[in-house]
Amino acid sequence: MHLDARDRRLLYELDYHVRRPVSEIARHLKIPKQVASYRIKRLVELGVLRGFRVVVDIHRLGYFSYRVYLRLQNMPPGEESRIYERISKLKNLFWFVLTTGRWDAQLLFVARNNVHFSFLLADLKKILGGRLKEYAVSPSISTNHFRRKYLVEKWTTEEISPSYRLEQEMHKIDGTDFKILACLSKDASAPYREIGKTVGLSDNAIKKRMKSLESGGIIKSYRTWLDLEKIGRQYYKALISVTQLDETIEKKVISFCLSEPTLIYFVVCTGSWDVEIEAEVKDEYEFREMLLRFRDRFSEFVGDYEILHVYKEIKMDYFPFDNYEEFKRFYDVKWVGISRP
């Protein structure tokens, strides 16, 4: 699908800022507000914009994130969609994609700790049964987001991007904040009035609570969810082992990421590898060129790596919770002899 320069600029202006007033976006694009609204609506109807997602710092709410990589076997073509549908409905499932390479799929769960995660993993294994050949778990330490700079010709490396990492202090939310985040997880562009009707508060009360969630670092941003195929992009990621990654080196890596227009995520993790970098590129060649620049820049630290192509994104939900009572029950739980939730 061909996007003209204004469509691309519009997507760039929306990227991580979907709640910005259309009038403000129109001023940046130097077009009438009605034209900007029409273009946004058109991109939604064409499926370029799959939806709008609130980026929640799940670590501040006392949760850990676990990346699970699956290698599958004996998957009859007729059963794949049914099995993937069941997986997508698992509790606390943040992200679910299908990949090519060594791994066939990646999932990202959020859990209170390793015990809680083991229950979630057991549910996944039950669905897959003998179809699961191998799996790997990579707990996330920190995640950095970067804007889709490839959408425009001119951009700056000085832009601050959303990031979140494990926090020592846990922030508790009440049932009302939970409902607001649940609404935003379905549609981050929802008007205050629409959220207020669901939650039972006035527009101003909703706005005040959302501002509090933002200032408290729980809401990091409001982002777009794109169908990359429709804009001529492919999603690639590299799982990289490094020999050293202190705070100084991590800052240098983030600086490198800011200078790369296609690089959109940098993750520090533990497990079989240490970092993950993810990009939205034209093709595998462009990704390998970017990865080569990364390896050259940090040659004394970079060890082995593997590349995955994410060819289908099934689920993205930064707040994958349905019930506040179940969510809050973990606040005061001491994980000693705990029964299955």
Side-chain angles (χ1 to χ4, degrees):
M1 178 182 297
H2 174 71
L3 298 180
D4 62 25
R6 278 185 174 171
D7 280 335
R8 296 172 68 85
R9 183 73 193 184
L10 178 60
L11 290 175
Y12 178 77
E13 293 294 337
L14 284 172
D15 196 20
Y16 297 108
H17 299 285
V18 301
R19 294 191 65 83
R20 291 174 65 189
V22 176
S23 57
E24 183 181 328
I25 295 173
R27 284 198 301 273
H28 278 273
L29 270 62
K30 298 181 180 179
I31 58 176
K33 177 182 175 181
Q34 294 81 358
V35 174
S37 296
Y38 168 78
R39 283 180 175 260
I40 293 172
K41 182 179 179 181
R42 175 175 166 272
L43 290 170
V44 171
E45 291 173 347
L46 291 173
V48 174
L49 283 167
R50 295 182 64 181
F52 306 101
R53 296 290 183 263
V54 59
V55 179
V56 177
D57 187 344
I58 210 71
H59 297 154
R60 285 185 181 269
L61 297 178
Y63 277 80
F64 298 86
S65 50
Y66 298 81
R67 294 167 179 255
V68 181
Y69 291 82
L70 306 176
R71 190 174 181 186
L72 306 173
Q73 63 182 1
N74 304 323
M75 284 282 284
E79 289 188 26
E80 284 187 357
S81 59
R82 179 181 60 83
I83 292 171
Y84 295 151
E85 177 67 18
R86 290 180 64 194
I87 291 174
S88 68
K89 294 178 180 178
L90 285 171
K91 288 185 177 181
N92 293 36
L93 181 61
F94 184 124
W95 197 46
F96 178 26
V97 297
L98 303 181
T99 63
T100 60
R102 179 187 174 190
W103 305 104
D104 299 305
Q106 181 198 338
L107 299 88
L108 197 156
F109 287 99
V110 294
R112 280 295 181 186
N113 62 15
N114 291 344
V115 177
H116 184 200
F117 170 67
S118 72
F119 298 144
L120 302 174
L121 185 60
D123 289 338
L124 172 63
K125 289 180 177 180
K126 185 176 181 180
I127 291 175
L128 291 172
R131 301 176 186 86
L132 179 59
K133 184 175 183 179
E134 181 185 0
Y135 73 93
V137 177
S138 175
S140 302
I141 304 300
S142 66
T143 302
N144 293 271
H145 294 222
F146 306 100
R147 292 186 67 180
R148 295 179 168 103
K149 298 183 287 293
Y150 63 80
L151 289 168
V152 293
E153 293 182 2
K154 294 182 179 180
W155 42 271
T156 173
T157 60
E158 302 302 319
E159 296 178 17
I160 298 175
S161 298
S163 64
Y164 45 92
R165 61 176 59 242
L166 292 180
E167 300 286 338
Q168 293 183 350
E169 181 183 358
M170 182 176 70
H171 296 247
K172 296 183 180 181
I173 58 173
D174 62 17
T176 301
D177 284 340
F178 180 93
K179 289 179 182 178
I180 291 172
L181 291 172
C183 287
L184 291 169
S185 73
K186 294 179 177 62
D187 181 8
S189 68
Y192 296 119
R193 180 167 297 179
E194 182 179 317
I195 298 172
K197 287 180 180 178
T198 302
V199 176
L201 292 177
S202 67
D203 302 6
N204 287 335
I206 294 296
K207 187 175 183 180
K208 184 177 180 180
R209 279 184 173 262
M210 285 175 59
K211 290 294 183 184
S212 178
L213 290 169
E214 292 167 8
S215 62
I218 294 171
I219 292 180
K220 306 299 290 188
S221 66
Y222 307 93
R223 65 168 296 186
T224 55
W225 186 19
L226 302 183
D227 185 328
L228 296 180
E229 185 177 353
K230 284 184 167 61
I231 62 172
R233 290 279 157 172
Q234 298 180 34
Y235 198 135
Y236 278 86
K237 63 184 300 176
L239 317 178
I240 305 170
S241 298
V242 297
T243 58
Q244 182 182 347
L245 188 66
D246 57 24
E247 185 176 348
T248 300
I249 297 172
E250 186 174 343
K251 287 181 179 179
K252 291 180 179 179
V253 173
I254 292 173
S255 178
F256 170 87
C257 295
L258 285 167
S259 70
E260 291 287 335
T262 64
L263 208 156
I264 58 168
Y265 296 112
F266 168 60
V267 181
V268 178
C269 50
T270 61
S272 300
W273 50 87
D274 306 290
V275 299
E276 301 181 9
I277 58 174
E278 306 177 17
E280 296 173 354
V281 293
K282 293 178 182 177
D283 50 34
E284 184 177 358
Y285 176 80
E286 185 177 38
F287 181 75
R288 288 186 177 275
E289 287 290 299
M290 185 275 293
L291 186 57
L292 181 61
R293 290 191 292 274
F294 179 85
R295 290 175 60 199
D296 289 343
R297 176 69 177 81
F298 304 101
S299 58
E300 59 183 305
F301 310 116
V302 174
D304 197 12
Y305 70 92
E306 55 185 292
I307 294 175
L308 299 180
H309 173 212
V310 176
Y311 69 88
K312 187 173 184 179
E313 199 169 15
I314 297 175
K315 181 177 182 179
M316 177 193 285
D317 186 351
Y318 287 85
F319 194 72
F321 307 103
D322 299 318
N323 184 281
Y324 179 65
E325 293 303 316
E326 185 174 326
F327 173 87
K328 77 171 185 176
R329 71 184 290 270
F330 295 105
Y331 278 151
D332 301 315
V333 166
K334 296 185 183 302
W335 290 86
V336 179
I338 183 68
S339 61
R340 199 185 201 286

